[in-house]
Amino acid sequence: MEPMISLPKTDVFRLRVNPDVRKQLEDVYAKNGLTLTDAINVFFQQSLNAGGFPFPVTEDNAELVKSKALARLLRELKQGEDCTESYSEEEAARLLGVEL
């Protein structure tokens, strides 16, 4: 089978991703001369080569992801605690897109 990297690309695959995450990923892959689309195609090809994930998916990996997410959440909570801005209930609802 010919590597999919060299095959014509005529199908469209859409996915939803946080815009900040997308920008960070684009920056990471750009350092290696790849677009995000190129990187996804490399991941897909490596998945085909490996017959599954091209890296181990284990409980340890899941715990690492959870711990990183928790650390990020704690940093963001700390930023919120240090914030001196205040909003009225109406302003907060408007910013959050919530009806009172």
Side-chain angles (χ1 to χ4, degrees):
M1 178 165 132
E2 186 176 357
M4 77 194 257
I5 299 298
S6 60
L7 294 174
K9 291 160 189 70
T10 58
D11 199 12
V12 175
F13 176 79
R14 292 176 47 125
L15 89 131
R16 294 186 186 278
V17 63
N18 178 289
D20 295 332
V21 171
R22 178 183 177 151
K23 175 67 174 123
Q24 290 174 34
L25 287 169
E26 287 172 337
D27 292 345
V28 165
Y29 293 122
K31 291 176 188 173
N32 293 300
L34 297 171
T35 65
L36 190 52
T37 299
D38 294 335
I40 291 169
N41 279 308
V42 168
F43 173 79
F44 287 170
Q45 181 65 57
Q46 290 301 316
S47 295
L48 290 172
N49 293 348
F53 280 99
F55 47 82
V57 178
T58 65
E59 279 188 38
D60 292 340
N61 289 356
E63 289 304 314
L64 178 62
V65 169
K66 286 181 198 175
S67 68
K68 286 183 177 182
L70 180 58
R72 181 176 177 189
L73 176 61
L74 291 173
R75 281 193 308 273
E76 290 176 2
L77 286 172
K78 178 70 176 141
Q79 286 177 334
E81 288 174 353
D82 296 341
C83 180
T84 58
E85 296 177 55
S86 65
Y87 301 95
S88 68
E89 184 178 349
E90 293 80 18
E91 181 70 7
R94 186 187 65 75
L95 289 169
L96 294 171
V98 177
E99 287 188 37
L100 294 178

